[in-house]
Amino acid sequence: MDIEPETDPIIDLIPAMVWSATAGGMLDFANQHFLDFIGAPLEEISGERFYGIFHPDDTSHLASEWHKIMASKNAREVEGRLRRADGQYRWCTLRQKPRLDAEGNVVRWYGVVLDIEDRKQAENALKETKTALAASEENLSLIINSLPVLVWSARPDGSADFVNQSWLDYAGRPADQILEWGFLDLYHPDDIPGMVDIWKRDLEHSDQTVLKGRIRGADGNYRWFYFSGRKLVDANGVVRWFGCNIDIEDLQSAENALRESEAALRESEHKLSLIINTIPAMAWSCTSDGRLEYFNRNLIDYVGLPFEEIVGFGFYRMFHPDDVEPMRMAWDDIVASKISRPVDARIRRADGEYRWFNLRQCPLLDSDGNVVRWYGVVVDIEDRKRAEESLRQSQSDLAHVTRMTAAGELAVSIAHEVNQPLMAIVTNAGTCLRWLQPGHTDIDQARLAAERIVKDGHRAGDIITSIRAMAQKSPARMEQTDLKSALRDVLDLLREELRHREIEIDLDLPERSLEVFGDRTQLQQVVLNLVMNSAEAMAASPRERRIGIRCAGDEQKILSVSVSDTGPGVSPDELDRVFEAFYSTKGDGIGMGLSICRSIVEAHGGRIWASAVENGGGGLFTFTLPMAEGAVVYDR
C-alpha cells in the first residue's frame, strides 16, 4: 500500500527541499525543510501559487520548462532563483521524476530543490577568471607585438620559437623564415661567428646573455642592435630563453662621432694653445670652478704681475678696488649658471693706470653638459667707454634742447599760466588796500586778501620753478620721486595749451603716491612729449579731442603709464620705427622726441612701446618703470 509523502515523517527529516505535485503540475506538498527555506506555509504556495517563490526574471522560463517536462513525461534538471525567507534570491536546481501507472500515465510528480548558489558563484567567478585570463593574454600579445623592440624567445638549444610583430616588420619576412635558426641569415656575415660563440657559451654556462651585432632590415640595410636575453624555468621545469634586440644604430653612430670629436678636440686644443700664445690679444682660461689656471703672455705683460700672484682667485687684484666686489659677484653667477655673458671692469696696467676692459668667456662642456674649462679674452674698451659717455652727454644736451624747444612752443601758454596768479595777486592787493583805508577798515577781510596774495604768489613761484627745472641743463639726479605729482605738474603747465586746442583730459590716477627712483625732470619730459604728440596728432581730427592718461601699479612692483588719444593712431608698420632716431610721422618733425623718451625710460630700467588700436581708435603709448623699494602698490 502506497504511503502519501505528507503522511511520512521521514520526508521532513531529509536535508533537502522535497516536494510533490499532481499529474497536472499543481504543487500539493512541500516538506518542512522546503517551507523553512521560503518562510511560508504550504497553503500560500500550493497549486500554481508556487510560481510566486521564483525570481520575476525566471518565472516565465521555469513555467515554460515545467510544461515541456509534463508534456514529455521526461524528467530534466532546471535551474532558477528562489526567494529565501530573508527576501534574498538564491540559485537552485529543480529535479523531478514522474510516477506512472500501468498504462504509462503520470499519477504524480516528485522532486527536490537543491541550493546551488555557492556553486553558481564559483562558476561565475571561474568564467570571469577565464575571461580576464583571455583578455590578459590578448593584452600581453598586443603589448609584445607593439613594443618598439625585436622581442623573441628561444629553446634551450638556442633556436628561436617566437618573434614578435616588430621583428617581422623589421625583417620584412614571414615568421617561418626567421624561427629555428633562420635569423642567422639576417645577421651581418662579419658578426655571425662572434655572436654565435657568445650565444652558445651563455646557453651552457649562464642565465643571461648580452651581445651586439648588425641585423639586415627589409630595406637591405644593416643596423646595429643590442641583444639582451635571460633564461627562465617554469613550474614544470621547462627551460626557455626570452629577450629583445634594441636598435642602437644612432647610439653607435654617436659613439663613433664622439670618439672622432674627442680626437679632433685634442688636436683643436693643441692648436688653440699655440694660437692663444701667439695672437695679439689677452687670453685666459679657468678651471670649471672659476679658478684662473692660464693666461697668455700679452696679459702677463699688460698687468705686470707674476703668475703666482694672480693664479687661482688671485686675479681679482688686477681690478680697480671699486670693481672687485661687482666682478666677484658676476663671475660667481656665471660659473654657477654655466651661462657666459660679458662683464665690464677696470684693470690696472703695469704703469698703474686703470683702463676699462670687457671680459668675455665661453665654457667648454663635456657630453653631459658639465663645464670642463672656461676660456676667455680681455678686450680693451676704454675708447668705447669714452664714446658712450660722450653719447650720453650728447643725448642729455639734445634732451635739454628738446625741452627748451617745447618750452618755446608753449611760451604763450606758460605766460598765461604765470599771468593768472600774477593778476590774482594784483587784484587781491587792491582789495587789501581798500579794506585798510580809513573809514572802510576791515582787518579780517584785509587778512584774507593778504592770504590769497601769498597763495597766488606760491603758485606763481611753483610754475616758475617747474619751468626753470625743465630749462636747466644739469646732470641726471636719480632719487626717489612721486611720479603722480610730477605728472600733475606737467599737466598744470600744459593746461592752457590743451584748453586752447580744445582737448579734454581724462585722468585716471591711484589715490596714493607712485614712488619711483629716477630723475624727476627727465620723467616729466617723457610725459610732456607723449601728451604733446597726442595733442598734435589730433590737430586735424574732426572727432572729439580727448587724451586719456592712466597710471597703475601691480603686485610685481611695476608702474605703468599709458597715454591715449582720439587721433588717427599709428600704422602697424610704424609701431617699431617710431622710436628710431630721426624717424618721424610728422611732416615738420625731426624724429628725436620718441627716441629721447625711449632712452630716458630704458635708462630708468623700464621700457616703452606703441600699440595699434582697432577700428581707428586713436594712438596708445605705454611705458613702465620699476617702483621704488617700499612703495605701496595700489590700483583703483
Side-chain angles (χ1 to χ4, degrees):
M1 181 178 178
D2 293 331
I3 300 175
E4 293 300 325
E6 60 270 22
T7 64
D8 192 344
I10 298 176
I11 300 299
D12 288 331
L13 298 178
I14 297 176
M17 291 178 276
V18 179
W19 57 270
S20 68
T22 64
M26 299 294 104
L27 182 71
D28 61 0
F29 172 76
N31 72 345
Q32 192 61 41
H33 190 71
F34 198 156
L35 299 176
D36 291 342
F37 179 83
I38 64 174
L42 178 62
E43 54 268 19
E44 289 187 11
I45 63 172
S46 60
E48 288 190 344
R49 289 189 292 272
F50 73 90
Y51 287 115
I53 66 175
F54 298 125
H55 192 287
D57 295 342
D58 299 343
T59 302
S60 177
H61 168 70
L62 291 174
S64 174
E65 291 296 312
W66 180 225
H67 284 93
K68 290 179 181 179
I69 291 171
M70 288 190 296
S72 65
K73 303 178 184 179
N74 293 322
R76 184 167 72 249
E77 187 172 334
V78 182
E79 293 180 357
R81 286 166 288 182
L82 271 69
R83 186 180 66 249
R84 199 165 59 181
D86 59 1
Q88 180 183 359
Y89 286 95
R90 293 181 65 85
W91 279 98
C92 295
T93 179
L94 291 82
R95 298 176 184 176
Q96 68 295 127
K97 188 172 182 179
R99 176 183 173 190
L100 306 177
D101 60 14
E103 287 79 19
N105 298 314
V106 175
V107 177
R108 194 176 189 80
W109 289 92
Y110 297 95
V112 294
V113 178
L114 302 177
D115 188 326
I116 60 168
E117 178 69 24
D118 296 338
R119 190 193 79 185
K120 202 71 174 179
Q121 290 184 1
E123 290 176 352
N124 292 337
L126 180 59
K127 289 179 182 178
E128 293 176 358
T129 301
K130 289 181 178 179
T131 301
L133 179 60
S136 177
E137 290 177 348
E138 183 179 352
N139 289 338
L140 179 61
S141 176
L142 179 62
I143 292 171
I144 291 176
N145 285 318
S146 301
L147 288 174
V149 293
L150 313 188
V151 180
W152 51 267
S153 67
R155 304 180 183 90
D157 64 352
S159 60
D161 60 2
F162 168 79
V163 289
N164 71 339
Q165 189 61 43
S166 296
W167 231 119
L168 302 177
D169 294 341
Y170 176 79
R173 293 188 177 189
D176 57 1
Q177 295 184 19
I178 302 175
L179 298 178
E180 302 300 334
W181 293 97
F183 59 87
L184 290 177
D185 295 337
L186 300 173
Y187 291 174
H188 194 286
D190 296 343
D191 301 340
I192 290 177
M195 294 177 68
V196 171
D197 288 345
I198 295 175
W199 182 221
K200 289 184 176 180
R201 180 201 66 194
D202 292 340
L203 287 173
E204 294 181 7
H205 305 292
S206 180
D207 291 336
Q208 60 183 0
T209 185
V210 173
L211 59 151
K212 198 164 62 170
R214 288 165 287 182
I215 303 177
R216 186 175 69 249
D219 58 0
N221 296 321
Y222 286 95
R223 293 180 66 85
W224 280 98
F225 280 82
Y226 173 82
F227 295 68
S228 179
R230 182 177 293 275
K231 181 172 68 174
L232 294 176
V233 182
D234 64 18
N236 298 320
V238 177
V239 175
R240 291 185 71 190
W241 284 78
F242 296 91
C244 63
N245 306 338
I246 303 173
D247 190 325
I248 59 169
E249 177 68 24
D250 296 336
L251 178 61
Q252 191 70 27
S253 299
E255 289 179 353
N256 295 337
L258 179 60
R259 283 193 291 270
E260 294 174 359
S261 65
E262 288 175 345
L265 179 60
R266 287 191 292 271
E267 178 63 22
S268 177
E269 288 179 339
H270 176 67
K271 292 181 180 179
L272 181 62
S273 178
L274 295 177
I275 293 172
I276 289 176
N277 284 310
T278 55
I279 59 173
M282 290 181 279
W284 53 269
S285 70
C286 284
T287 59
S288 59
D289 61 352
R291 298 173 183 269
L292 185 68
E293 65 173 358
Y294 169 81
F295 45 95
N296 68 350
R297 176 54 56 183
N298 287 326
L299 183 55
I300 295 176
D301 294 341
Y302 182 84
V303 300
L305 295 173
F307 175 80
E308 57 273 12
E309 289 188 14
I310 59 175
V311 72
F313 289 114
F315 64 88
Y316 286 115
R317 68 179 59 203
M318 300 186 305
F319 299 109
H320 191 283
D322 295 342
D323 298 340
V324 170
E325 191 57 30
M327 182 64 199
R328 190 191 310 276
M329 295 174 61
W331 183 230
D332 289 345
D333 180 64
I334 291 171
V335 171
S337 65
K338 304 179 186 178
I339 300 175
S340 60
R341 59 183 173 89
V343 182
D344 293 348
R346 288 164 290 183
I347 296 179
R348 186 180 65 249
R349 199 165 58 187
D351 60 3
E353 179 184 354
Y354 285 95
R355 291 179 64 87
W356 279 100
F357 281 84
N358 179 255
L359 291 84
R360 302 176 183 176
Q361 66 294 132
C362 184
L364 172 66
L365 305 177
D366 60 17
S367 58
D368 296 325
N370 299 314
V371 176
V372 177
R373 188 172 286 106
W374 289 90
Y375 294 99
V377 293
V378 181
V379 181
D380 190 321
I381 59 169
E382 179 71 23
D383 296 336
R384 192 192 78 185
K385 280 287 185 179
R386 292 179 179 177
E388 288 175 352
E389 182 61 30
S390 177
L391 176 60
R392 280 194 294 271
Q393 184 61 42
S394 298
Q395 288 179 333
S396 177
D397 293 344
L398 183 57
H400 176 256
V401 171
T402 303
R403 291 197 298 273
M404 293 302 297
T405 301
E409 294 175 350
L410 299 173
V412 175
S413 297
I414 293 172
H416 182 273
E417 286 295 312
V418 177
N419 189 55
Q420 279 186 331
L422 293 179
M423 291 300 297
I425 290 172
V426 172
T427 300
N428 287 317
T431 302
C432 182
L433 289 173
R434 285 197 304 272
W435 290 115
L436 294 175
Q437 290 179 0
H440 299 280
T441 303
D442 189 330
I443 299 301
D444 292 336
Q445 292 295 331
R447 181 184 297 108
L448 292 175
E451 289 176 351
R452 288 196 294 271
I453 292 172
V454 173
K455 178 180 179 182
D456 290 331
H458 284 309
R459 180 184 172 195
D462 291 341
I463 294 173
I464 298 300
T465 300
S466 178
I467 297 171
R468 182 187 298 116
M470 294 198 65
Q472 281 182 341
K473 182 180 179 182
S474 58
R477 294 179 58 187
M478 304 298 285
E479 58 188 5
Q480 185 165 324
T481 186
D482 180 10
L483 185 63
K484 188 173 72 171
S485 171
L487 189 149
R488 287 190 181 277
D489 289 346
V490 172
L491 294 181
D492 287 342
L493 192 64
L494 295 176
R495 181 186 297 108
E496 181 61 23
E497 179 68 19
L498 297 177
R499 186 194 63 78
H500 176 72
R501 293 175 181 258
E502 298 180 346
I503 295 174
E504 294 290 334
I505 292 291
D506 289 335
L507 196 58
D508 184 5
L509 300 177
E511 296 179 0
R512 301 185 183 182
S513 63
L514 294 173
E515 300 290 333
V516 297
F517 190 77
D519 184 276
R520 183 184 181 91
T521 301
Q522 291 186 358
L523 296 177
Q524 285 180 320
Q525 182 174 357
V526 173
V527 177
L528 175 67
N529 284 356
L530 294 180
V531 173
M532 288 305 299
N533 278 356
S534 292
E536 293 170 2
M538 295 186 293
S541 176
R543 298 187 298 174
E544 178 186 21
R545 300 171 186 175
R546 185 176 297 276
I547 295 177
I549 302 175
R550 183 178 186 274
C551 295
D554 61 19
E555 295 180 354
Q556 284 72 43
K557 299 291 186 180
I558 298 298
L559 172 66
S560 64
V561 180
S562 61
V563 179
S564 60
D565 59 63
T566 57
V570 182
S571 169
D573 298 334
E574 297 178 319
L575 291 177
D576 294 330
R577 299 198 61 193
V578 292
F579 294 100
E580 295 178 3
F582 306 111
Y583 182 84
S584 177
T585 58
K586 297 181 290 188
D588 57 349
I590 63 173
M592 289 303 297
L594 289 176
S595 176
I596 292 173
C597 287
R598 181 171 66 177
S599 298
I600 293 174
V601 171
E602 291 180 350
H604 285 72
R607 66 186 189 95
I608 185 171
W609 68 92
S611 304
V613 181
E614 297 180 357
N615 302 322
L620 175 61
F621 286 81
T622 307
F623 68 90
T624 60
L625 296 170
M627 299 184 70
E629 290 296 328
V632 176
V633 177
Y634 182 85
D635 193 1
R636 226 175 12 158

